[in-house]
Amino acid sequence: DPETHRALVARLFTALDECGSAARGRLGPAKLRKYAELRGFNGSLDDWAIEYSEMCAEFKWDARAGVDVEQFMQLVASPEQDGPNAKEIL
């Protein structure tokens, strides 16, 4: 059910946003890396900087502003995403 999936992805976004520094409704590189690690990313900080930059270019995100919930949903729905899905992560 698409509404259930959207709700799960929104919950995952909120959990990531509240992790670490103050929640602000956007995921910067550090918070988005936590999601990437849950999906199997295990590269270095330099590797992540490159990966984040490439994702920002691919999805046309503002790297400094971070990712909002709608952009995060776009990422999660991307066919290139490997590893556990939002339901499995939660």
Side-chain angles (χ1 to χ4, degrees), residues 63-76:
R64 290 178 29 181
V67 178
D68 66 23
V69 69
E70 291 301 320
Q71 293 167 320
F72 184 69
M73 287 188 185
Q74 177 188 23
L75 172 66
V76 171

Side-chain angles (χ1 to χ4, degrees), residues 22-39:
R24 58 185 190 97
R26 298 189 85 76
L27 304 179
K31 291 182 178 185
L32 199 58
R33 181 180 175 151
K34 292 186 183 311
Y35 170 71
E37 289 171 345
L38 292 169
R39 298 297 306 256

Side-chain angles (χ1 to χ4, degrees), residues 48-69:
W48 176 246
I50 292 167
E51 183 71 21
Y52 181 73
S53 177
E54 289 174 353
M55 287 190 315
C56 289
E58 177 183 348
F59 290 101
K60 299 177 178 37
W61 299 333
D62 179 341
R64 290 178 29 181
V67 178
D68 66 23
V69 69

